[in-house]
Amino acid sequence: MIEVSWLLFLIASVAVILTPGQDMILVMSRSITQGAVAGVVTAGGVSTGLLLHTLLATLGVGAVVQASELLFLIIKMVGAVYLLYLGFSLLRVSNSNLLEGDAPARPLARLYWDGAFSNIANPKIAVFYFAFLPQFVLPDAANPTLCIFALGAGFALLTFIIKGPVGYFAALLSGWFQRKPAHLTAIYRLSGLVLVGLGVKLFFEKQVR
């Protein structure tokens, strides 16, 4: 039996998921620039990344990441570099690129991977999962490991339920932006700057003990 405080978990999780961060920026930018399907697929990738973190939290890897400075540094550097890569790829877009149809459109499989990998390669999420999920397991739970897995899977599903529609409805603006390439270029560059900023922020993140 899964013995957890579902109501408290739901309230806390919604608050965390709605907080703007790299995942939300990535989902919205892909949706606005490439359409609703792109945003939903990116959101699916993000949730898949969270499922991996669920497995890691269940196995206690979050504690290992928290304890190992080297492992934390390696994962942090990989995540920061990938965010910088995504950000600079958006910053390179120009009005002429868009008018010529040469915008950096990505296939759906690549969008899915972007969402998943940007999430997987963030050690803060592993540590967050390890610290966040156990708070909602009841003290007398017979199988706390199963409870943590259920909570993590629930968080991943809730993330998609919230961010999928965000990606879908953000695409309603895409037609207007496509008719105004200067505005669309600004969206690319703003999204790129945000992702670069998040990459730099992750680069300088310190390990919390």
Side-chain angles (χ1 to χ4, degrees):
M1 183 176 179
I2 300 173
E3 300 162 305
V4 300
S5 302
W6 285 112
L7 180 59
L8 290 177
F9 171 73
L10 180 64
I11 294 172
S13 296
V14 169
V16 170
I17 294 168
L18 288 175
T19 302
Q22 68 187 51
D23 293 338
M24 189 72 81
I25 294 297
L26 192 60
V27 169
M28 292 185 69
S29 66
R30 295 309 190 200
S31 179
I32 290 173
T33 56
Q34 290 189 225
V37 174
V40 174
V41 168
T42 303
V46 168
S47 294
T48 301
L50 289 173
L51 284 176
L52 179 59
H53 281 294
T54 296
L55 293 175
L56 296 178
T58 302
L59 297 172
V61 176
V64 176
V65 172
Q66 191 173 22
S68 171
E69 292 183 6
L70 178 59
L71 182 58
F72 183 90
L73 178 63
I74 291 173
I75 299 176
K76 181 183 76 169
M77 293 297 291
V78 171
V81 168
Y82 196 68
L83 284 175
L84 290 172
Y85 163 73
L86 291 176
F88 282 120
S89 69
L90 292 176
L91 288 174
R92 288 199 301 268
V93 178
S94 65
N95 287 348
S96 59
N97 293 147
L98 295 174
L99 290 173
E100 294 167 5
D102 191 29
R106 292 172 177 256
L108 294 181
R110 185 61 183 273
L111 293 173
Y112 181 84
W113 169 252
D114 286 345
F117 192 77
S118 70
N119 197 296
I120 292 169
N122 188 340
K124 287 291 184 180
I125 296 179
V127 175
F128 165 76
Y129 252 44
F130 185 77
F132 179 72
L133 299 181
Q135 297 181 46
F136 305 98
V137 178
L138 297 179
D140 56 349
N143 194 336
T145 300
L146 179 61
C147 291
I148 288 177
F149 179 82
L151 288 167
F155 189 89
L157 176 61
L158 192 58
T159 295
F160 182 74
I161 290 173
I162 292 175
K163 292 186 178 178
V166 167
Y168 181 84
F169 287 110
L172 296 177
L173 299 174
S174 63
W176 184 80
F177 281 116
Q178 291 289 350
R179 294 190 297 271
K180 298 179 181 294
H183 292 78
L184 184 56
T185 300
I187 288 294
Y188 270 107
R189 291 179 177 170
L190 178 60
S191 299
L193 284 173
V194 171
L195 290 174
V196 168
L198 290 169
V200 172
K201 180 178 181 296
L202 180 59
F203 182 83
F204 288 105
E205 285 281 3
K206 295 184 181 296
Q207 189 172 10
V208 178
R209 293 184 180 279

